[in-house]
Amino acid sequence: MITQPNHVPERLALLATSAVDPFLTEELLRGEQVHGGIDLAKVVEPLPEDDARWWVEPIRSLVEDAMFEFREDRTRADAWLAPRLHATLRLTRREAADKRLWNHIALAVAPDYVVWRHLPEPTVNRPETRVAAERFRGPADRQCFSRLWWAAELFRNGSDYQPVEVACGNQDLIHTVLRMDVIDHRPTAQALVRLLESGSVTTGREINGLGVAISTAGATLTYDVLAPDEPRDPTHLRDWIAEAESAPPVERYELPKGPDEDPVPEDSVAALTSYFAELFETAPVRGRKIGD
């Protein structure tokens, strides 16, 4: 398995997708050899030097701890890393939507983590395996680090990251739900977590079926009416981002705190949890007969 590049930058930067491919070699994707880092540093766009958020060391430290702590079960790293990455890399949604930032983290800062987390285990039928290139420079719901950041952003309940742990502990949920437009509705996200916690929905087929049902119903039913949410005060997010310079490293054994925003109204979460449970009874779950 590869290690980090010989040259890891001190600060984050922006790496255009058009500049990524020369560094996505077969040797890297197979986990055999990583680039040196020097040539990559020549094609990035620097970020403002007066912003403390762009220091690389806190992110490097997190991924190294994750690789050590979850060396026996790599998938469990998602639930641990997602809230801590979000609390460490304090971004606006506009900033998080810039793929160039995630390209740089994946290729310049932590390509060893991407390979460690996403290189499939070899099998008899597939003795040679490789990491999918989209884990380095793919869409937000597939790229190694952006999917974790966005999962934390969409599933946190105000400052509480506990729902993020639940959501990211289920690979089928984050693979399916991050693609749904309705997941930006906070009560919807929290209701899905409640269904997972209660054991009402567990398997990949069940989650996929429920996701289809929720999206279909959302086309004719406005969830904002059934389960209203309070508009978020952007001041809290701005203050949280401004505190990045003085914030200590995130806790390893306790969940960090997110922006000091109000939690989702409990009545709205309860209403949608009940409604989604009813939807699930007739959801198109492959292999299940209605009424089972």
Side-chain angles (χ1 to χ4, degrees):
M1 192 72 72
I2 63 171
T3 60
Q4 68 184 53
N6 293 329
H7 172 78
V8 175
E10 291 185 351
R11 297 180 63 80
L12 296 178
L14 303 177
L15 177 62
T17 301
S18 59
V20 166
D21 285 346
F23 301 96
L24 284 182
T25 64
E26 280 298 311
E27 290 79 12
L28 174 61
L29 296 177
R30 290 198 299 263
E32 297 171 352
Q33 183 178 347
V34 71
H35 59 82
I38 295 295
D39 289 338
L40 191 148
K42 299 175 182 177
V43 297
V44 303
E45 178 183 335
L47 286 164
E49 294 189 0
D50 59 351
D51 196 326
R53 294 178 298 160
W54 310 135
W55 287 110
V56 160
E57 191 280 330
I59 297 174
R60 241 344 288 184
S61 179
L62 275 179
V63 300
E64 288 173 5
D65 286 350
M67 287 189 286
F68 176 80
E69 186 69 23
F70 300 99
R71 58 193 181 279
E72 302 297 332
D73 189 352
R74 294 175 295 170
T75 59
R76 290 181 55 223
D78 289 353
W80 184 89
L81 184 56
R84 290 167 177 84
L85 177 66
H86 187 274
T88 297
L89 194 54
R90 302 186 180 195
L91 304 173
T92 65
R93 290 191 174 188
R94 180 186 293 273
E95 290 170 331
D98 192 337
K99 293 182 179 180
R100 297 176 299 169
L101 178 66
W102 304 113
N103 290 343
H104 189 253
I105 294 175
L107 267 170
V109 177
D112 51 329
Y113 182 85
V114 180
V115 171
W116 173 85
R117 173 61 185 86
H118 292 291
L119 182 66
E121 293 289 345
T123 64
V124 173
N125 294 329
R126 294 182 60 190
E128 292 188 4
T129 59
R130 66 198 298 274
V131 179
E134 63 186 4
R135 298 301 187 181
F136 285 94
R137 49 119 169 91
D141 63 304
R142 298 294 291 171
Q143 203 268 357
C144 178
F145 295 104
S146 67
R147 73 187 188 99
L148 298 180
W149 192 96
W150 279 104
E153 171 68 9
L154 295 170
F155 282 105
R156 66 182 174 87
N157 190 4
S159 64
D160 183 9
Y161 284 116
Q162 188 273 335
V164 178
E165 281 194 317
V166 177
C168 291
N170 188 300
Q171 295 297 304
D172 294 300
L173 182 71
I174 57 176
H175 286 165
T176 300
V177 172
L178 286 185
R179 303 173 186 175
M180 296 166 48
D181 291 337
V182 294
I183 200 60
D184 197 28
H185 180 239
R186 295 198 306 161
T188 294
Q190 297 308 311
L192 283 169
V193 169
R194 294 277 177 90
L195 291 174
L196 276 180
E197 288 181 307
S198 67
S200 301
V201 180
T202 55
T203 69
R205 288 182 179 183
E206 291 174 346
I207 290 170
N208 289 335
L210 178 59
V212 171
I214 290 173
S215 295
T216 301
T220 56
L221 174 70
T222 302
Y223 292 141
D224 283 324
V225 175
L226 180 62
D229 190 13
E230 296 294 330
R232 287 185 283 187
D233 184 348
T235 303
H236 297 302
L237 178 63
R238 288 197 295 265
D239 290 345
W240 186 67
I241 290 175
E243 293 165 0
E245 185 171 3
S246 59
V250 296
E251 292 284 344
R252 270 33 178 185
Y253 298 104
E254 295 181 6
L255 282 173
K257 295 289 185 181
D260 188 22
E261 297 174 344
D262 290 333
V264 182
E266 177 58 31
D267 289 348
S268 294
V269 178
L272 271 193
T273 302
S274 176
Y275 179 70
F276 289 165
E278 294 178 6
L279 275 184
F280 180 63
E281 292 180 3
T282 56
V285 178
R286 188 159 56 90
R288 184 187 74 171
K289 296 179 180 179
I290 301 300
D292 284 357

